[in-house]
Amino acid sequence: MTQINRRTLLKGAATLPAAAALTGVASPTLAAGHTATPGAALYSAPLGRYRITALLDGIAPLGRGFFFGSEAIDPLMEQIGIGPDALPAPVSAFLLQSDERTILIDAGMGEQELLGPGFGGLIPGLAAAGVTPDDVDMVVLTHAHPDHLGGLIRGSDAVFKNAELALGEVEAGFWTDEAMMAQAPDEAKGMFQLAQTVLGAYGDRVTRIADGAEAAPGLSMMLSPGHTPGHSIVRIDGGDRQLLMIADTLASADVHTALPDVGFGFDSDPAQAAESRRRVFDMVSADKTLVAGSHIHFPGFGRILADGEAYRYVPTTWM
Ligand SMILES: [Zn+2]
Protein backbone atom coordinates (compact mmCIF):
# COMPACT_ATOMS: atom_id res chain seq x y z
CA MET A 1 0.00 0.00 0.00
CA THR A 2 1.23 3.47 -0.80
CA GLN A 3 2.38 5.27 2.29
CA ILE A 4 1.08 8.76 2.65
CA ASN A 5 2.11 11.52 4.96
CA ARG A 6 2.12 15.29 4.91
CA ARG A 7 4.97 15.33 2.42
CA THR A 8 3.39 12.99 -0.09
CA LEU A 9 -0.05 14.57 0.10
CA LEU A 10 0.79 18.25 -0.02
CA LYS A 11 4.51 18.57 -0.41
CA GLY A 12 4.30 22.27 -0.93
CA ALA A 13 1.89 22.91 1.91
CA ALA A 14 4.60 24.08 4.28
CA THR A 15 4.95 27.11 2.06
CA LEU A 16 1.27 27.99 2.02
CA PRO A 17 0.34 31.31 3.57
CA ALA A 18 -1.71 31.08 6.74
CA ALA A 19 -4.79 32.30 4.87
CA ALA A 20 -4.82 29.04 2.96
CA ALA A 21 -4.37 26.77 5.93
CA LEU A 22 -6.20 23.60 5.06
CA THR A 23 -8.05 23.51 8.34
CA GLY A 24 -10.49 25.90 6.73
CA VAL A 25 -11.61 23.32 4.17
CA ALA A 26 -14.94 21.62 4.13
CA SER A 27 -17.14 23.85 6.15
CA PRO A 28 -20.28 22.74 4.35
CA THR A 29 -22.47 25.52 5.66
CA LEU A 30 -22.67 28.97 4.19
CA ALA A 31 -20.45 31.16 6.34
CA ALA A 32 -21.84 34.31 7.86
CA GLY A 33 -20.74 37.38 5.99
CA HIS A 34 -20.44 35.50 2.70
CA THR A 35 -21.74 38.52 0.85
CA ALA A 36 -19.13 38.86 -1.84
CA THR A 37 -20.49 36.32 -4.31
CA PRO A 38 -19.47 37.64 -7.70
CA GLY A 39 -22.00 38.30 -10.42
CA ALA A 40 -21.93 36.68 -13.82
CA ALA A 41 -18.68 36.79 -15.78
CA LEU A 42 -18.63 34.64 -18.88
CA TYR A 43 -17.17 34.32 -22.36
CA SER A 44 -18.63 32.03 -24.99
CA ALA A 45 -17.31 30.74 -28.33
CA PRO A 46 -18.04 27.91 -30.80
CA LEU A 47 -16.04 24.70 -30.57
CA GLY A 48 -17.38 22.49 -33.37
CA ARG A 49 -20.21 20.33 -32.08
CA TYR A 50 -20.06 22.18 -28.76
CA ARG A 51 -20.31 25.74 -27.68
CA ILE A 52 -17.83 26.43 -24.88
CA THR A 53 -18.39 29.05 -22.20
CA ALA A 54 -15.85 30.09 -19.58
CA LEU A 55 -17.54 30.90 -16.28
CA LEU A 56 -15.75 32.79 -13.51
CA ASP A 57 -16.46 31.41 -10.03
CA GLY A 58 -14.22 33.88 -8.20
CA ILE A 59 -10.66 35.08 -7.79
CA ALA A 60 -8.13 33.18 -5.67
CA PRO A 61 -5.82 35.54 -3.77
CA LEU A 62 -2.58 33.80 -4.65
CA GLY A 63 0.76 35.50 -4.04
CA ARG A 64 4.49 34.88 -4.04
CA GLY A 65 4.22 32.60 -0.99
CA PHE A 66 2.44 29.86 -2.94
CA PHE A 67 5.40 29.28 -5.26
CA PHE A 68 8.77 27.80 -4.36
CA GLY A 69 11.86 26.07 -5.66
CA SER A 70 13.61 28.70 -7.78
CA GLU A 71 15.60 31.87 -7.16
CA ALA A 72 14.19 33.17 -10.42
CA ILE A 73 10.66 33.67 -9.01
CA ASP A 74 11.29 37.08 -7.40
CA PRO A 75 13.12 38.58 -10.40
CA LEU A 76 10.35 37.25 -12.67
CA MET A 77 7.61 38.85 -10.60
CA GLU A 78 9.51 42.12 -10.57
CA GLN A 79 10.08 41.89 -14.33
CA ILE A 80 6.38 41.49 -15.07
CA GLY A 81 5.53 44.28 -12.63
CA ILE A 82 3.57 42.44 -9.96
CA GLY A 83 4.05 42.75 -6.22
CA PRO A 84 4.67 39.78 -3.93
CA ASP A 85 1.05 39.60 -2.76
CA ALA A 86 -0.46 40.32 -6.12
CA LEU A 87 -0.73 37.17 -8.14
CA PRO A 88 -4.48 36.64 -8.07
CA ALA A 89 -5.73 33.73 -10.14
CA PRO A 90 -9.24 33.21 -11.45
CA VAL A 91 -11.13 30.07 -10.55
CA SER A 92 -12.94 29.17 -13.76
CA ALA A 93 -15.29 26.41 -14.85
CA PHE A 94 -16.28 25.61 -18.43
CA LEU A 95 -19.70 24.87 -19.90
CA LEU A 96 -20.06 22.73 -23.02
CA GLN A 97 -23.38 22.81 -24.84
CA SER A 98 -24.60 20.90 -27.86
CA ASP A 99 -28.11 20.17 -29.11
CA GLU A 100 -28.13 17.07 -26.90
CA ARG A 101 -25.81 17.81 -24.02
CA THR A 102 -25.18 20.37 -21.26
CA ILE A 103 -21.86 19.52 -19.64
CA LEU A 104 -19.92 21.39 -17.01
CA ILE A 105 -16.18 20.89 -16.56
CA ASP A 106 -15.49 21.57 -12.88
CA ALA A 107 -17.82 23.50 -10.63
CA GLY A 108 -15.82 26.14 -8.78
CA MET A 109 -15.46 26.68 -5.05
CA GLY A 110 -19.15 27.16 -4.24
CA GLU A 111 -19.55 27.69 -0.49
CA GLN A 112 -16.11 26.40 0.45
CA GLU A 113 -13.87 28.99 2.03
CA LEU A 114 -10.39 27.53 1.58
CA LEU A 115 -9.24 30.78 0.01
CA GLY A 116 -11.66 33.12 1.73
CA PRO A 117 -15.13 34.30 0.66
CA GLY A 118 -16.00 35.75 -2.71
CA PHE A 119 -16.67 32.59 -4.73
CA GLY A 120 -19.89 31.17 -6.11
CA GLY A 121 -20.06 33.12 -9.39
CA LEU A 122 -20.68 29.89 -11.29
CA ILE A 123 -24.45 29.82 -10.76
CA PRO A 124 -25.05 33.48 -11.80
CA GLY A 125 -22.78 32.77 -14.79
CA LEU A 126 -24.82 29.73 -15.78
CA ALA A 127 -28.02 31.77 -15.42
CA ALA A 128 -26.58 34.44 -17.72
CA ALA A 129 -25.90 31.66 -20.23
CA GLY A 130 -29.55 30.57 -19.91
CA VAL A 131 -28.72 27.39 -18.01
CA THR A 132 -30.21 26.26 -14.70
CA PRO A 133 -28.42 23.71 -12.50
CA ASP A 134 -31.16 21.19 -13.38
CA ASP A 135 -30.29 21.53 -17.09
CA VAL A 136 -26.76 20.20 -16.54
CA ASP A 137 -26.61 16.50 -17.48
CA MET A 138 -22.96 15.85 -16.67
CA VAL A 139 -20.21 17.41 -14.58
CA VAL A 140 -16.69 16.36 -15.53
CA LEU A 141 -14.33 16.84 -12.61
CA THR A 142 -10.61 17.29 -13.39
CA HIS A 143 -9.62 16.69 -9.78
CA ALA A 144 -11.15 16.75 -6.32
CA HIS A 145 -9.75 19.99 -4.87
CA PRO A 146 -12.26 22.35 -3.21
CA ASP A 147 -11.97 25.05 -5.92
CA HIS A 148 -13.16 22.50 -8.50
CA LEU A 149 -15.75 20.42 -6.65
CA GLY A 150 -16.97 22.78 -3.91
CA GLY A 151 -19.71 24.08 -6.19
CA LEU A 152 -21.13 20.58 -6.66
CA ILE A 153 -22.87 20.69 -3.29
CA ARG A 154 -24.90 23.04 -1.17
CA GLY A 155 -24.66 21.79 2.39
CA SER A 156 -24.38 18.09 1.65
CA ASP A 157 -26.93 18.10 -1.22
CA ALA A 158 -26.16 17.86 -4.93
CA VAL A 159 -26.53 21.20 -6.74
CA PHE A 160 -26.84 19.49 -10.15
CA LYS A 161 -29.69 17.09 -9.47
CA ASN A 162 -29.88 15.60 -12.96
CA ALA A 163 -26.17 15.35 -13.61
CA GLU A 164 -23.89 12.38 -13.86
CA LEU A 165 -20.55 13.13 -12.14
CA ALA A 166 -17.57 11.88 -14.15
CA LEU A 167 -14.05 11.84 -12.73
CA GLY A 168 -10.87 9.90 -13.31
CA GLU A 169 -10.78 6.53 -11.61
CA VAL A 170 -7.36 7.20 -10.01
CA GLU A 171 -8.63 10.45 -8.49
CA ALA A 172 -11.85 8.86 -7.26
CA GLY A 173 -9.90 5.96 -5.80
CA PHE A 174 -7.48 8.21 -3.95
CA TRP A 175 -9.99 10.44 -2.17
CA THR A 176 -12.25 7.54 -1.18
CA ASP A 177 -9.42 5.38 0.18
CA GLU A 178 -10.09 5.20 3.93
CA ALA A 179 -6.53 4.03 4.64
CA MET A 180 -5.14 7.05 2.77
CA MET A 181 -7.42 9.34 4.71
CA ALA A 182 -6.41 7.75 8.02
CA GLN A 183 -2.75 8.40 7.23
CA ALA A 184 -3.33 11.93 5.98
CA PRO A 185 -2.29 14.82 8.21
CA ASP A 186 -5.18 16.33 10.17
CA GLU A 187 -5.13 19.54 8.15
CA ALA A 188 -5.72 17.55 4.94
CA LYS A 189 -8.50 15.31 6.25
CA GLY A 190 -11.06 18.02 5.42
CA MET A 191 -10.28 17.62 1.72
CA PHE A 192 -10.98 13.88 1.92
CA GLN A 193 -14.22 14.57 3.80
CA LEU A 194 -15.32 17.15 1.25
CA ALA A 195 -14.56 14.83 -1.69
CA GLN A 196 -16.44 11.99 -0.01
CA THR A 197 -19.40 14.25 0.78
CA VAL A 198 -19.57 15.28 -2.88
CA LEU A 199 -19.29 11.71 -4.18
CA GLY A 200 -21.92 10.66 -1.64
CA ALA A 201 -24.27 13.41 -2.81
CA TYR A 202 -24.09 12.11 -6.41
CA GLY A 203 -24.26 8.47 -5.29
CA ASP A 204 -24.89 6.06 -8.16
CA ARG A 205 -24.57 8.89 -10.69
CA VAL A 206 -20.77 8.93 -10.16
CA THR A 207 -18.84 7.46 -13.10
CA ARG A 208 -15.14 6.63 -12.78
CA ILE A 209 -13.41 7.23 -16.10
CA ALA A 210 -10.33 5.19 -17.11
CA ASP A 211 -7.22 7.04 -18.34
CA GLY A 212 -7.80 8.02 -21.99
CA ALA A 213 -11.49 7.07 -22.03
CA GLU A 214 -14.37 9.28 -23.12
CA ALA A 215 -16.72 10.75 -20.53
CA ALA A 216 -19.03 12.07 -23.28
CA PRO A 217 -18.88 12.21 -27.10
CA GLY A 218 -15.57 13.82 -28.11
CA LEU A 219 -14.61 14.48 -24.52
CA SER A 220 -11.82 12.30 -23.14
CA MET A 221 -9.94 12.41 -19.85
CA MET A 222 -6.19 11.93 -19.62
CA LEU A 223 -4.30 11.31 -16.42
CA SER A 224 -1.74 14.06 -15.75
CA PRO A 225 -0.72 13.52 -12.12
CA GLY A 226 1.24 15.62 -9.66
CA HIS A 227 -1.13 18.42 -8.75
CA THR A 228 -3.22 15.63 -7.24
CA PRO A 229 -2.53 11.89 -7.61
CA GLY A 230 -5.30 11.53 -10.21
CA HIS A 231 -5.39 15.01 -11.76
CA SER A 232 -6.78 14.74 -15.31
CA ILE A 233 -6.80 17.02 -18.33
CA VAL A 234 -9.74 16.91 -20.74
CA ARG A 235 -9.44 16.74 -24.51
CA ILE A 236 -12.47 18.22 -26.24
CA ASP A 237 -12.82 17.21 -29.87
CA GLY A 238 -15.53 19.40 -31.34
CA GLY A 239 -15.03 18.01 -34.85
CA ASP A 240 -13.59 20.99 -36.69
CA ARG A 241 -11.93 22.43 -33.58
CA GLN A 242 -10.11 20.85 -30.65
CA LEU A 243 -9.25 22.20 -27.25
CA LEU A 244 -7.30 20.80 -24.33
CA MET A 245 -8.63 21.83 -20.92
CA ILE A 246 -5.42 21.59 -18.89
CA ALA A 247 -7.02 22.35 -15.50
CA ASP A 248 -4.32 22.88 -12.84
CA THR A 249 -1.36 21.90 -15.02
CA LEU A 250 -0.38 25.48 -14.25
CA ALA A 251 -1.37 27.57 -11.24
CA SER A 252 -0.17 30.81 -12.81
CA ALA A 253 0.13 31.52 -16.52
CA ASP A 254 2.84 34.08 -15.66
CA VAL A 255 5.00 31.95 -13.37
CA HIS A 256 4.57 28.41 -14.66
CA THR A 257 5.23 29.12 -18.34
CA ALA A 258 8.43 31.07 -17.63
CA LEU A 259 9.48 28.74 -14.80
CA PRO A 260 7.78 25.38 -15.46
CA ASP A 261 9.66 23.53 -12.71
CA VAL A 262 8.55 25.86 -9.92
CA GLY A 263 6.56 24.14 -7.16
CA PHE A 264 3.07 25.22 -6.12
CA GLY A 265 1.78 24.96 -2.56
CA PHE A 266 -1.24 22.83 -3.43
CA ASP A 267 0.66 20.29 -5.54
CA SER A 268 0.59 16.84 -3.93
CA ASP A 269 3.88 16.01 -5.65
CA PRO A 270 5.59 19.12 -7.06
CA ALA A 271 8.26 17.15 -8.96
CA GLN A 272 5.65 14.96 -10.64
CA ALA A 273 3.51 18.05 -11.32
CA ALA A 274 6.47 19.73 -13.05
CA GLU A 275 7.07 16.60 -15.12
CA SER A 276 3.40 16.51 -16.18
CA ARG A 277 3.48 20.27 -16.84
CA ARG A 278 6.46 19.98 -19.22
CA ARG A 279 4.90 16.97 -20.95
CA VAL A 280 1.61 18.81 -21.53
CA PHE A 281 3.37 22.05 -22.55
CA ASP A 282 5.59 20.15 -25.03
CA MET A 283 2.53 18.48 -26.52
CA VAL A 284 0.42 21.63 -26.90
CA SER A 285 3.30 23.82 -28.09
CA ALA A 286 4.27 21.31 -30.79
CA ASP A 287 0.69 21.18 -32.10
CA LYS A 288 -0.24 24.81 -31.26
CA THR A 289 -3.26 23.30 -29.52
CA LEU A 290 -5.85 25.67 -28.13
CA VAL A 291 -5.86 25.31 -24.34
CA ALA A 292 -8.12 26.36 -21.50
CA GLY A 293 -7.00 26.44 -17.88
CA SER A 294 -8.79 26.70 -14.55
CA HIS A 295 -6.48 29.45 -13.26
CA ILE A 296 -5.28 31.15 -16.45
CA HIS A 297 -6.24 34.85 -16.79
CA PHE A 298 -10.01 34.85 -17.41
CA PRO A 299 -11.52 33.65 -19.71
CA GLY A 300 -8.48 31.39 -19.85
CA PHE A 301 -8.23 30.45 -23.53
CA GLY A 302 -4.89 30.60 -25.34
CA ARG A 303 -1.84 28.81 -26.62
CA ILE A 304 1.38 27.80 -24.92
CA LEU A 305 4.41 28.20 -27.14
CA ALA A 306 7.96 26.96 -26.64
CA ASP A 307 10.41 29.73 -25.70
CA GLY A 308 13.95 28.40 -25.26
CA GLU A 309 14.02 26.09 -22.24
CA ALA A 310 10.70 27.51 -21.07
CA TYR A 311 7.35 28.53 -22.56
CA ARG A 312 5.17 31.53 -23.26
CA TYR A 313 1.39 31.89 -22.88
CA VAL A 314 -0.48 33.73 -25.63
CA PRO A 315 -4.16 34.46 -24.89
CA THR A 316 -6.66 34.12 -27.69
CA THR A 317 -10.26 34.95 -28.41
CA TRP A 318 -12.38 33.79 -31.31
CA MET A 319 -15.95 34.08 -32.54
ZN1 LIG B 1 -7.43 24.60 -8.81
Side-chain angles (χ1 to χ4, degrees), residues 189-272:
K189 283 187 169 40
M191 289 213 283
F192 282 86
Q193 282 156 357
L194 176 62
Q196 291 176 15
T197 300
V198 168
L199 294 178
Y202 288 79
D204 57 10
R205 289 181 283 132
V206 174
T207 310
R208 299 181 179 211
I209 308 292
D211 181 20
E214 278 195 336
L219 210 154
S220 49
M221 300 189 74
M222 290 177 295
L223 189 62
S224 188
H227 180 63
T228 62
H231 177 263
S232 288
I233 58 177
V234 183
R235 181 177 289 285
I236 304 161
D237 184 352
D240 63 355
R241 199 187 282 265
Q242 288 78 37
L243 180 145
L244 194 63
M245 162 37 182
I246 62 173
D248 285 28
T249 297
L250 50 71
S252 159
D254 298 314
V255 174
H256 272 145
T257 50
L259 303 170
D261 302 322
V262 155
F264 177 57
F266 285 110
D267 288 342
S268 65
D269 184 336
Q272 188 186 42

Side-chain angles (χ1 to χ4, degrees), residues 72-249:
I73 301 171
D74 291 317
L76 171 71
M77 290 184 70
E78 195 167 329
Q79 187 195 351
I80 56 182
I82 49 181
D85 297 318
L87 202 65
V91 172
S92 304
F94 296 90
L95 174 70
L96 289 171
Q97 291 168 287
S98 70
D99 290 343
E100 296 84 31
R101 305 297 305 262
T102 302
I103 299 169
L104 200 52
I105 304 180
D106 291 339
M109 188 82 87
E111 300 171 351
Q112 301 302 312
E113 296 213 326
L114 173 68
L115 296 167
F119 293 90
L122 175 73
I123 300 298
L126 283 172
V131 173
T132 71
D134 289 354
D135 294 334
V136 175
D137 59 62
M138 173 180 274
V139 180
V140 175
L141 188 62
T142 61
H143 63 294
H145 272 171
D147 56 319
H148 299 257
L149 61 58
L152 281 161
I153 51 171
R154 191 169 294 122
S156 53
D157 297 330
V159 168
F160 304 100
K161 294 184 172 55
N162 301 317
E164 189 183 336
L165 175 58
L167 77 167
E169 61 182 6
V170 176
E171 188 73 352
F174 177 78
W175 295 104
T176 54
D177 185 327
E178 292 298 335
M180 286 284 185
M181 181 169 163
Q183 295 170 54
D186 284 348
E187 66 268 30
K189 283 187 169 40
M191 289 213 283
F192 282 86
Q193 282 156 357
L194 176 62
Q196 291 176 15
T197 300
V198 168
L199 294 178
Y202 288 79
D204 57 10
R205 289 181 283 132
V206 174
T207 310
R208 299 181 179 211
I209 308 292
D211 181 20
E214 278 195 336
L219 210 154
S220 49
M221 300 189 74
M222 290 177 295
L223 189 62
S224 188
H227 180 63
T228 62
H231 177 263
S232 288
I233 58 177
V234 183
R235 181 177 289 285
I236 304 161
D237 184 352
D240 63 355
R241 199 187 282 265
Q242 288 78 37
L243 180 145
L244 194 63
M245 162 37 182
I246 62 173
D248 285 28
T249 297

Side-chain angles (χ1 to χ4, degrees), residues 275-296:
E275 213 173 283
S276 288
R277 187 176 302 125
R278 280 195 178 269
R279 191 169 39 78
V280 170
F281 285 4
D282 286 343
M283 184 169 73
V284 299
S285 60
D287 301 341
K288 293 196 170 59
T289 306
L290 182 62
V291 301
S294 307
H295 306 302
I296 295 176

